[in-house]
């Protein structure tokens, strides 16, 4: 079944390339990389760089919330390399024996930020201000669901300020999204007055940032990466991991606001 799923995913990816008018790859290895949605822009650039230097390998990326990706892996979806936006999902996969433990590294650090639409119509000045305005009930905050890392970081921020998420939800000041990209879109389109996202997503969307959460508020935002135990291309997967931790990929990550941790 895993082989059938891998074949189907690869065929869909090739069809997408053909539909764009590009030349199909003659790669003998096809690495499937599951990565947090906040890595969409950077990993897409890195994929192009890596493939240009390794014509025998094609990288097929699947971007979504780390929680969704973890569930897909647990349900048997083919995956060679997993990069999560939090330790929790990687810990769970390691506990179940799904990853090769010695390949696991802390690849990147991100920051959790408070972003507002263009012009900041509600004049939300900081996280302190956000907390007071949420209590007053006069703003709408977009946040990730509780099963995705950006939502879990937001919940820690609520706890830091002594905010009751359940009461806030009942008062109508919260709107929930399935991943960080959805939160970013809500803010970009002014569907919400503000949103808690990652610094890299704010940078990519050119959103104004009015606050950066401290480690005391929500802990460190660390992105672990590992090779999956069921990979059919372990040598290639390990090589790609080495490239991700190297200086060339590090420059791409750094340009978008990530802090590389393993160069």
């Amino acid at each position: 079944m895993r082989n059938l799923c891998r074949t189907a995913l690869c065929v869909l990816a090739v069809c997408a390339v053909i539909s764009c008018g590009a030349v199909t790859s003659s790669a003998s290895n096809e690495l499937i990389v599951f990565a947090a949605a906040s890595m969409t822009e950077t990993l897409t650039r890195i994929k192009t760089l890596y493939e240009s230097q390794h014509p025998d390998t094609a990288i097929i990326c699947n971007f979504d919330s780390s929680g969704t990706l973890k569930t897909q892996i647990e349900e048997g979806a083919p995956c060679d390399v997993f990069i999560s936006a939090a330790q929790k999902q990687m810990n769970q996969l390691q506990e179940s024996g799904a990853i090769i433990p010695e390949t696991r590294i802390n690849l990147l650090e991100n920051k959790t930020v408070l972003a507002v639409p263009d012009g900041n119509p509600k004049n939300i000045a900081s996280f302190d201000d956000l907390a007071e305005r949420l209590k007053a009930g006069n703003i709408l905050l977009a946040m990730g669901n509780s099963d995705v890392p950006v939502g879990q970081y937001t919940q820690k921020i609520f706890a830091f300020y002594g905010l009751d998420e359940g009461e806030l939800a009942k008062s109508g000041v919260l709107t929930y999204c399935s991943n960080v990209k959805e939160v970013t879109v809500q803010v970009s389109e002014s569907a919400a007055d503000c949103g808690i996202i990652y610094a890299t997503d704010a940078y990519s969307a050119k959103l104004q940032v009015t606050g950066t959460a401290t480690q005391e508020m929500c802990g460190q935002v660390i992105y672990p990466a590992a090779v999956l135990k069921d990979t059919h291309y372990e040598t290639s997967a390990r090589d790609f991991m080495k490239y991700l931790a190297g200086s060339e990929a590090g420059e791409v990550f750094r340009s978008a606001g990530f802090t590389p941790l393993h160069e």
Side-chain angles (χ1 to χ4, degrees):
M1 178 62 72
R2 178 181 168 84
N3 288 338
L4 289 174
C5 291
R6 176 182 286 275
T7 300
L9 183 54
C10 292
V11 167
L12 287 173
V14 169
C15 289
V17 171
I18 293 172
S19 68
C20 293
V23 178
T24 58
S25 170
S26 58
S28 56
N29 297 329
E30 290 162 328
L31 288 182
I32 299 175
V33 179
F34 281 23
S38 50
M39 298 184 69
T40 301
E41 294 81 10
T42 51
L43 200 57
T44 299
R45 289 170 59 194
I46 288 169
K47 158 189 159 68
T48 300
L49 289 170
Y50 186 82
E51 289 177 337
S52 70
Q53 299 170 33
H54 301 80
D56 61 331
T57 301
I59 307 295
I60 300 168
C61 297
N62 178 26
F63 299 106
D64 210 320
S65 73
S66 301
T68 296
L69 296 175
K70 178 191 75 78
T71 299
Q72 291 174 355
I73 291 169
E74 291 173 334
E75 292 177 348
C79 175
D80 300 293
V81 174
F82 177 48
I83 312 173
S84 173
Q87 301 284 11
K88 178 180 179 180
Q89 290 75 22
M90 190 68 78
N91 289 343
Q92 291 170 334
L93 289 178
Q94 183 165 342
E95 289 168 4
S96 68
I99 68 169
I100 301 175
E102 65 268 24
T103 68
R104 179 175 176 173
I105 62 172
N106 288 335
L107 181 64
L108 303 166
E109 182 177 7
N110 209 338
K111 296 294 183 183
T112 304
V113 301
L114 177 61
V116 295
D118 186 40
N120 192 8
K122 290 295 183 74
N123 296 313
I124 302 166
S126 64
F127 274 108
D128 289 349
D129 187 30
L130 170 70
E132 293 304 315
R133 303 283 286 278
L134 287 173
K135 291 176 185 176
N138 58 14
I139 59 169
L140 179 63
L141 170 71
M143 64 174 285
N145 292 333
S146 61
D147 63 338
V148 303
V150 74
Q152 292 157 7
Y153 292 125
T154 302
Q155 290 176 323
K156 290 179 180 179
I157 292 170
F158 286 167
F160 176 82
Y161 283 104
L163 298 171
D164 186 321
E165 182 185 353
E167 291 302 316
L168 293 177
K170 287 180 183 178
S171 69
V173 297
L174 303 179
T175 181
Y176 290 93
C177 303
S178 63
N179 59 50
V180 70
K181 291 300 183 187
E182 288 189 12
V183 180
T184 304
V185 170
Q186 290 282 309
V187 179
S188 296
E189 296 181 350
S190 298
D193 299 314
C194 56
I196 296 178
I197 60 176
Y198 300 125
T200 52
D201 292 285
Y203 175 85
S204 297
K206 296 180 173 59
L207 289 174
Q208 180 181 347
V209 170
T210 62
T212 300
T214 63
Q215 186 171 340
E216 182 183 9
M217 291 165 66
C218 67
Q220 284 184 284
V221 183
I222 302 296
Y223 286 52
V227 176
L228 273 291
K229 184 178 180 181
D230 288 344
T231 179
H232 291 180
Y233 303 105
E234 184 176 337
T235 300
S236 294
R238 284 176 178 264
D239 185 76
F240 183 61
M241 284 276 294
K242 184 178 179 180
Y243 182 81
L244 289 174
S247 59
E248 188 168 68
E251 284 303 311
V252 176
F253 288 131
R254 193 176 290 107
S255 70
F258 284 108
T259 300
L261 299 176
H262 223 271
E263 287 182 286

